[in-house]
Amino acid sequence: MRTLALAAAALGLALSALPAAAQETPPLPRVFWSFEGPFGTIDQAAAQRGYQVYKQVCSACHSMTQFHFRDLAGIGYTPEQIAAIAASVQVPGPPNAQGQSSPVPGKPADAFPSPFPTQAAAEAAFNGAVPPDQSLMANAFEGGPTYIYAILNGFRNPPPGITVPPGRYYNIYFPGNLIAMPPPLHDGAVTYADGTPATVPQMAHDVATFLYFVANPHADQRKRIGVHVVLFLVFVTGLTYALKRKVWSDVEH
Amino acid sequence: MAELGLQENEFKNPVVHWIDARLPVFTAMHKEYRQFPTPKNFNYFWNFGALATVNLAIMIITGIFLAMNYNPSTAGAFDSVERIMRDVNWGWMIRYLHVVGASLFFVTVYVHIFRGLYYGSYKKPREMIWMLGVVLLLLLMATAFMGYVLPWGQMSFWGATVITNLFGAIPVVGHGIVTWLWGGFAVANPTLNRFFSLHYLLPFIIVGFLVLHIMALHTVGSNNPLGIDVKGPQDTLPFHPYYTVKDSVGVCVYLIVFAILVFFIPHQPLLMDPNNSIQANPLQTPSDIVPEWYFLPFYAILRSVPNKLGGVVLLFGSIFVLFFLPWLDTSPVRSCRFRPIMRWLWVLFVIDVFVLGYVGANRPVGIFILLGRIATVWYYIHMLIFLPLVGKLERPLPLPESISKSVLGGGALPSAAAARPMEKA
Ligand code: HEM
């Protein structure tokens, strides 16, 4: 399938390689993802660890407005676990007669709450930059989850001669290299429930897996159905072709 | 028998008989899709009209279901599309079908057009079929352009801004036109509303023009790979079952390609630009504004002219020139199989369009500027100079006597023989 994608890309004449070429960023690292290819599926244990990273680190700055607690079922959480997770988070409650709402414990049908009440509040906190919403982050960049992984691993000390203004950080994969996100991960930033050592590459890989799921909650189902659809169509094509041969057998052509 | 002006017909089924006597739709179907005498030597390139029709049906059906859940407002559009993707039952599949279908529609239509160019299907007596086809192409482009704006992502917004601004190049009235198109002073909520309304309307106008396209076809009959006229019944087959079954084979193969794209690689950047996964933000311009792949050759023509008005004129001219093709091409021979010079110029023309597409995908710097200009000039030279001139100068190969003679090996020509495996397949 990757060859097919490659062929399609070559046919459209390498459209995808273009934007990156303008900035001086190195090519993205080669990362293996469990969900690659036509039969790949999302690694649920990794996605659950990634959820932990999201919850304890990223959610302090990034919103994820399209994602609901109930959607966690897609990476193997039980309804009881989901209810407990939702209840442990305060979400905006219904407005009272004065139009004010006070926080209430979440329910599975609630969306994840956002860290900043408004866009302006986020801008004020980061010198005008806004942490982008994470609902579709894994689809929003060339390279997808690999780009997220690269950014999280791409923080470096600036090379000599480059001054980094306050509120900016040097990241080799970010276009222009100066990103407003402080390095969010450091070794041991979370303590994994399953005991996996929480190194930066490990956490980056896990959270990118989780964000891939968040952006493509139906990906596994889609491919599973796709295999059946394609097999069925191949079968029907064979039948139709045989029929065509039969119909045309009496024609000189 | 024809009592009270009832239409005579031979249908046995009493209900069919009764209806047909009053509304002869069954007779019409019988005539146009069963008996319709079709040249017996079509190759698989003759499938692409049927494929485009199937594609149109898929677009309309999926589009109607999308519209049930879509919110045409700048505040709600992006979220409503996400709701379709996440929460609407089978919503993701409906949307991917619509997205992939838009791209494949252009694939089928472009192959269909290049087929017509190679086999001279635009020549007398098929000028009207061809010109209606160009109208269909323009309508399809307008539909796809406006559809792409609807999900209100970054590329939706910035693509709409760039393209509508083109009309600003028109002297004197340009700015007025742009404001009128926008319904305001920028691409905003009124623009999105009208684009949604027109995006819903235009596919049905396309259906109307498709009917005319087919009516014109069934008036003069189909062309064929030899480009020679049908001489008699021995040259043709009834459309059904011969071509219904052959078109079905094509449709099946086509659906396999469709399914692979929909179920396995819908996020291939050529099908969905990653930037459209980011909600439209009028304050933040993406680093590259690239149209969908199917517009890239035209985008390259636009950018190859340093003057904005000139670019816009050449852009629209490159499509409008197609209307005049039946009169620009002076050769009496239709099929390039028998045109030793034009067949190679056709190959170069196809390459030229691919080069334009490649240039359109790249920033207009360095070599791409030169390449874009050469390819643009070549496009026009092909249309305005080669077609009229080569038709006069070229010595065509001798034409076979008839389709059936050629099929049976009589009067066979090397080129006809070489092309046979394709027809057999
Ligand atoms: C000529 C056939 C058609 C073409 C070429 C076409 C093309 C497109 C394209 C390119 C998009 C943007 C896809 C995306 O990125 O999401 C789109 C979206 C949309 N179209 Fe169509 N379309 C066609 C027919 C229709 C019809 C008949 C309807 C409704 C009856 C419709 C309703 C919609 C809606 C609601 C959207 C926005 C939702 C979305 O973005 O997925 N389309 N169309």
Side-chain angles (χ1 to χ4, degrees), chain A residues 1 4-6 8-16 18-20 22-23 37-39 65-68 70-71 119 135-137 139-142 213-219 221-227 229-230 233-234 236-237 240-241 243-245 247-248 250-253, chain B residues 39-41 44 78-79 82-83 85-88 90 92-93 96 237 241-243 245-246 248-249 252-253 255-256 259-270 273-278 281 287-288 290-291 293 296 354-355 357-358 361-363 407-408 420 423-425:
Chain A
M1 203 51 43
L4 223 162
L6 275 178
L11 225 161
L13 306 158
L15 181 64
S16 39
L18 306 170
Q23 270 92 22
F39 304 110
T65 54
Q66 309 281 357
F67 197 71
H68 298 77
R70 58 162 193 262
D71 298 329
Q119 173 110 346
S135 318
L136 280 168
M137 187 174 256
N139 293 346
F141 298 100
E142 213 65 68
F213 165 72
V214 170
N216 303 283
H218 299 293
Q221 185 199 14
R222 164 161 62 75
K223 292 185 212 169
R224 218 168 36 239
I225 295 171
V227 172
V229 171
V230 171
L233 285 173
V234 168
V236 174
T237 306
T240 315
Y241 186 65
L243 182 65
K244 190 245 161 195
R245 295 284 298 236
V247 168
W248 281 74
D250 62 347
V251 182
E252 205 89 48
H253 71 286
Chain B
K40 62 205 274 188
N41 61 333
Y44 272 101
F78 189 85
D79 287 351
E82 268 315 295
R83 221 183 82 77
M85 292 298 284
R86 290 162 190 277
D87 298 334
V88 172
W90 299 101
W92 57 267
M93 192 172 83
Y96 285 147
L237 294 167
Y242 294 98
Y243 284 108
V245 73
K246 191 165 177 179
S248 302
V249 174
C252 285
V253 173
L255 289 180
I256 293 176
I260 288 174
L261 295 174
V262 163
F263 290 101
F264 297 110
I265 42 175
H267 283 283
Q268 215 289 324
L270 284 173
D273 192 297
N275 272 299
N276 244 15
S277 290
I278 302 171
N281 181 352
S287 59
D288 279 280
V290 198
W293 68 265
L296 289 177
F354 272 91
V355 169
Y358 183 57
N362 284 277
R363 295 196 171 158
V407 160
L408 295 173
R420 285 198 60 185
E423 293 158 26
K424 268 271 165 64

Side-chain angles (χ1 to χ4, degrees), chain B residues 59-60 63-64 67 95 98-99 102 140 143 147-148 150-151 199-200 203:
Chain B
M59 294 313 280
I60 291 183
I64 287 173
R95 179 169 183 233
H98 202 74
V99 171
L140 177 64
T143 307
Y148 194 59
L150 302 185
H199 183 71
Y200 208 137

Side-chain angles (χ1 to χ4, degrees), chain B residues 55-71 77 80-81 84-85 94-96 98-103 105-106 139-152 156 196 199-204 206 271-273 276 292 294:
Chain B
N55 205 321
L56 178 62
I58 294 175
M59 294 313 280
I60 291 183
I61 294 165
T62 53
I64 287 173
F65 281 97
L66 286 173
M68 289 178 190
N69 297 285
Y70 172 76
N71 173 354
S80 71
V81 172
I84 291 171
M85 292 298 284
I94 296 168
R95 179 169 183 233
Y96 285 147
H98 202 74
V99 171
V100 171
S103 271
F105 209 147
F106 280 91
L139 288 168
L140 177 64
M141 289 177 152
T143 307
F145 164 66
M146 288 190 273
Y148 194 59
V149 178
L150 302 185
W152 206 243
S156 300
F196 178 53
H199 183 71
Y200 208 137
L201 170 67
L202 286 188
F204 295 94
I206 291 181
L271 299 172
M272 276 183 136
D273 192 297
N276 244 15
E292 294 291 86
Y294 38 79

Side-chain angles (χ1 to χ4, degrees), chain B residues 279-419:
Chain B
Q279 186 162 5
N281 181 352
L283 300 177
Q284 191 195 342
T285 321
S287 59
D288 279 280
I289 302 177
V290 198
E292 294 291 86
W293 68 265
Y294 38 79
F295 291 134
L296 289 177
F298 305 102
Y299 195 52
I301 291 178
L302 169 76
R303 292 197 301 185
S304 69
V305 188
N307 167 293
K308 188 173 170 191
L309 178 59
V312 173
V313 168
L314 286 201
L315 161 67
F316 285 105
S318 66
I319 299 170
F320 278 99
V321 72
L322 295 175
F323 280 113
F324 302 99
L325 221 57
W327 298 278
L328 284 169
D329 185 345
T330 52
S331 170
V333 175
R334 294 198 190 96
S335 175
C336 279
R337 256 186 215 179
F338 306 107
R339 301 189 59 188
I341 302 181
M342 189 45 75
R343 71 186 312 184
W344 289 110
L345 288 176
W346 179 87
V347 171
L348 288 177
F349 183 71
V350 175
I351 295 173
D352 185 63
V353 173
F354 272 91
V355 169
L356 281 171
Y358 183 57
V359 169
N362 284 277
R363 295 196 171 158
V365 288
I367 179 76
F368 291 115
I369 300 180
L370 184 66
L371 210 56
R373 288 186 184 158
I374 294 175
T376 301
V377 170
W378 186 272
Y379 186 101
Y380 275 98
I381 287 184
H382 183 90
M383 293 290 177
L384 300 177
I385 298 182
F386 290 160
L387 283 178
L389 219 59
V390 174
K392 293 231 156 69
L393 303 180
E394 183 183 50
R395 271 193 56 193
L397 305 177
L399 297 178
E401 220 170 283
S402 76
I403 293 173
S404 56
K405 282 261 170 55
S406 152
V407 160
L408 295 173
L413 290 146
S415 52

